[in-house]
Amino acid sequence: MKQLAVVMYAIIAREGLRFVSQRGRFLAALVRPLIWLVVFAAGFRAALGLSITPPYETYITYEMYIVPGLCGMIQLFNGMQSSLSLVYDREMGSMRLLLTSPMPRWWLLFSKLLAGTVVSIIQVYVFLGIAALFGIDFTWLGYVAVLPALIVSGLLLGALGLFLSSTIKQLENFAGVMNFVIFPMFFLSTALYPLWKMAEASPLLRDICAYNPFTHAIELIRFALHEQLNLTALLWVLVTLIFFIAISLLGYDPARGAKGGRKYS
Amino acid sequence: MENTINGLVVSSLSHAYGQKKVLDEISFSVVQGQFCALLGPNGAGKSTLFSLATRLIVPHSGNIEIVGVDINVNPRNALAKIGVVFQQPTLDLDLTVLQNLRYFAALHGISGKIRNEAIERSLSKLGMLARKDEKVRLLNGGHKRRMEIARALIHNPKVMLLDEPTVGLDASSRASITEHVHKLASEDGITVLWATHLVDEIKSDDQLVILHEGKIIADDLCGKIIGKKTLAEKFASLTKECAI
């Protein structure tokens, strides 16, 4: 048991050390949502009227609306970044070092997943701190309540990244992930506009948004920031999380190599 | 070879990527404390054998036993007995030597005082203790390799697998690393499987397994295989015979 804790701590510490040494990555992770918040939201607020829908009890500014979506965006990018680093690790060999550890493979991969989630949560809190400086703040309880929501949503988006890394064979293929995963997931969600607004434009788009797990991750964060629990969103996130973890474990199963699926050399 | 306990046993091992057969029913064994050189040209199947022996992939058929433990039946137990040095470096360049080794020790569940002692012992063995606080990026190629060998020794493995560990190094670094690893076998009783395509790294009393196009074409003490020829000549004639 102690050995498992030692491994998990080391994997998280390594991810943390790498993150600290890559200052550019941290800066990019912060600048991206801040541009959306300060530039995009400011321009967009005039065009979009928001009605009062849960968890909101009064009229809110558009900036207030998109903050949870931008928290999700940070975690989405972080999940994809971890996935990119996993593909890189596999090409460079350090993934082999991890996979030849005598510890259970599922535990190693779960630790890796948790490490990425911890890094994403640090980024989210720094972002929320800066947003508060711009006057978009929440109650202290809201900041505390959002932590468990960020853990499950971070794990979900990390697990998606882990699954993608098990299917992507080369680093070059990663550009496709940007076009086919990040953009559709982000724009077809409630990050930028509520579902009812989407329904006005197209019922089909609204349905796609409603099934998008990223939508539920954002709603979970949104409700938590307002000290509420969105049970439906939590269930959706948990079910998809388990699904993605299961298929990633399958992806990293060494027996797949026997079917000619992967060559680690 | 008075010692009859086997460190490594490969039996009837076959593997293919899709339709391409890479290893074809190979069998050999290495007794404990023996240095075994696995010689073969590029593409002979050496790296695939290493991937199978470290369970990165599982074989289509056949077994690999590490000190009596079948890697596919009890992978965790077998992996705990193996020290691996991969062909490609697997280091975090921006971390120090010590940080890299601590990470590896943790992957084997080793922590605290035992970890510190194990790291110090293996770095001293490879003459790398003075460099423990240096960033890996600043080390030269030879030192990086020595560090990887030191790392593979931390958990006291019974079997060391090294996949062309001297690739890209200058002659003196190559000689020194080859010497160090020979000593691990003769002095510490570690079973060594050393893949290479460079004949000058092999001594006459080393076991030599020659792999060619996925098959073993020679397996004995190097001195016995070559007779009065040089290893380079013998290797060329053996691989030529197979081609005909």
Side-chain angles (χ1 to χ4, degrees):
Chain A
M1 198 59 207
K2 190 192 164 204
Q3 289 189 333
L4 294 181
V6 167
V7 176
M8 180 178 269
Y9 175 76
I11 292 174
I12 294 174
R14 175 177 179 261
E15 199 74 21
L17 273 173
R18 273 162 61 116
F19 180 66
V20 171
S21 64
Q22 298 170 339
R23 288 205 190 96
R25 179 179 157 194
F26 186 41
L27 212 67
L30 274 181
V31 166
R32 200 180 298 118
L34 282 173
I35 287 179
W36 278 89
L37 184 67
V38 177
V39 182
F40 177 81
F44 211 58
R45 69 192 297 181
L48 191 83
L50 289 173
S51 69
I52 302 172
T53 47
Y56 306 112
E57 288 157 359
T58 171
Y59 282 108
I60 48 150
T61 60
Y62 184 61
E63 284 93 332
M64 189 62 138
Y65 179 81
I66 67 165
V67 162
L70 296 179
C71 292
M73 178 200 228
I74 293 174
Q75 293 198 304
L76 178 65
F77 269 90
N78 192 75
M80 295 310 123
Q81 189 102 36
S82 307
S83 155
L84 177 74
S85 82
L86 279 170
V87 176
Y88 179 82
D89 273 3
R90 208 175 56 218
E91 288 210 332
M92 294 299 130
S94 49
M95 194 64 186
R96 269 188 265 184
L97 197 67
L98 185 78
L99 297 179
T100 50
S101 154
M103 298 296 147
R105 188 168 284 200
W106 68 268
W107 182 259
L108 296 168
L109 292 172
F110 180 70
S111 300
K112 190 94 185 157
L113 196 58
L114 196 63
T117 306
V118 169
V119 167
S120 81
I121 290 175
I122 295 169
Q123 294 172 36
V124 168
Y125 272 108
V126 173
F127 167 72
L128 284 173
I130 298 175
L133 294 180
F134 282 98
I136 307 149
D137 53 357
F138 302 88
T139 62
W140 280 109
L141 199 60
Y143 285 120
V144 177
V146 81
L147 181 62
L150 290 173
I151 294 174
V152 281
S153 60
L155 286 174
L156 166 67
L157 298 166
L160 172 68
L162 193 63
F163 161 66
L164 288 172
S165 78
S166 74
T167 57
I168 297 169
K169 291 213 173 97
Q170 286 161 354
L171 218 51
E172 292 76 30
N173 297 350
F174 206 81
V177 170
M178 197 77 179
N179 286 331
F180 294 107
V181 180
I182 295 186
F183 288 154
M185 265 197 119
F186 183 66
F187 290 112
L188 291 170
S189 75
T190 53
L192 299 177
Y193 13 75
L195 275 181
W196 65 264
K197 201 80 189 166
M198 200 64 148
E200 282 179 4
S202 149
L204 177 67
L205 281 181
R206 186 215 159 274
D207 290 344
I208 295 174
C209 286
Y211 287 112
N212 181 356
F214 188 58
T215 293
H216 297 282
I218 290 168
E219 290 311 304
L220 191 66
I221 296 170
R222 188 189 308 285
F223 276 71
L225 276 169
H226 291 89
E227 302 161 37
Q228 292 176 42
L229 172 65
N230 185 333
L231 252 182
T232 321
L234 179 65
L235 272 175
W236 258 93
V237 171
L238 286 178
V239 168
T240 41
L241 168 62
I242 292 165
F243 172 73
F244 280 124
I245 287 184
I247 54 175
S248 329
L249 285 179
L250 219 63
Y252 276 98
D253 179 5
R256 276 186 82 225
K259 296 171 201 150
R262 160 138 318 114
K263 188 186 173 189
Y264 281 92
S265 60
Chain B
M1 289 195 207
E2 302 110 42
N3 194 346
T4 50
I5 303 167
N6 282 319
L8 175 71
V9 179
V10 173
S11 25
S12 309
L13 193 70
S14 294
H15 195 73
Y17 295 114
Q19 295 298 311
K20 193 172 175 256
K21 206 157 199 178
V22 190
L23 290 175
D24 190 5
E25 288 274 318
I26 66 164
S27 300
F28 67 95
S29 58
V30 187
V31 294
Q32 213 162 21
Q34 177 70 41
F35 183 104
C36 174
L38 181 68
L39 182 66
N42 291 331
K46 301 191 296 290
S47 289
T48 300
L49 177 60
F50 273 75
S51 293
L52 292 166
T54 49
R55 208 174 176 264
L56 287 171
I57 49 180
V58 295
H60 280 174
S61 62
N63 306 76
I64 299 175
E65 278 182 24
I66 310 288
V67 203
V69 181
D70 188 323
I71 194 152
N72 286 318
V73 176
N74 197 344
R76 292 179 52 197
N77 200 347
L79 285 172
K81 296 181 195 300
I82 304 177
V84 198
V85 177
F86 291 107
Q87 196 172 13
Q88 283 178 320
T90 53
L91 299 164
D92 271 323
L93 297 177
D94 293 318
L95 303 186
T96 65
V97 170
L98 204 56
Q99 284 170 328
N100 267 282
L101 297 194
R102 280 184 179 160
Y103 173 64
F104 178 83
L107 288 183
H108 282 259
I110 305 167
S111 61
K113 205 174 153 202
I114 299 170
R115 173 196 70 187
N116 296 343
E117 284 170 3
I119 289 177
E120 201 145 306
R121 192 180 55 237
S122 57
L123 281 176
S124 317
K125 202 177 271 289
L126 273 292
M128 286 289 292
L129 193 57
R131 301 187 183 272
K132 68 176 187 205
D133 294 317
E134 288 182 23
K135 275 208 170 168
V136 173
R137 196 179 286 282
L138 303 176
L139 299 178
N140 68 33
H143 286 145
K144 277 184 195 154
R145 270 309 187 187
R146 277 208 232 174
M147 196 208 116
E148 286 195 288
I149 296 170
R151 183 177 64 183
L153 289 171
I154 289 174
H155 57 297
N156 279 329
K158 298 272 181 277
V159 177
M160 283 279 278
L161 305 173
L162 303 101
D163 189 4
E164 306 204 14
T166 57
V167 162
L169 300 182
D170 60 45
S172 72
S173 300
R174 278 209 308 128
S176 130
I177 287 178
T178 313
E179 198 50 43
H180 270 297
V181 178
H182 272 92
K183 273 191 193 163
L184 291 177
S186 61
E187 292 176 7
D188 300 332
I190 297 175
T191 309
V192 174
L193 184 68
W194 172 284
T196 186
H197 61 269
L198 303 164
V199 290
D200 61 341
E201 293 174 351
I202 304 165
K203 295 182 178 179
S204 67
D205 55 354
D206 291 339
Q207 181 183 349
L208 174 63
V209 172
I210 301 180
L211 196 60
H212 183 62
E213 292 175 350
K215 289 187 172 150
I216 290 177
I217 54 171
D219 173 15
D220 208 330
L221 288 182
C222 175
K224 284 191 186 167
I225 292 177
I226 59 175
K228 285 179 184 161
K229 289 184 176 174
T230 65
L231 178 53
E233 288 166 352
K234 186 71 188 176
F235 180 55
S237 71
L238 278 171
T239 47
K240 209 171 165 187
E241 277 169 32
C242 288
I244 293 168

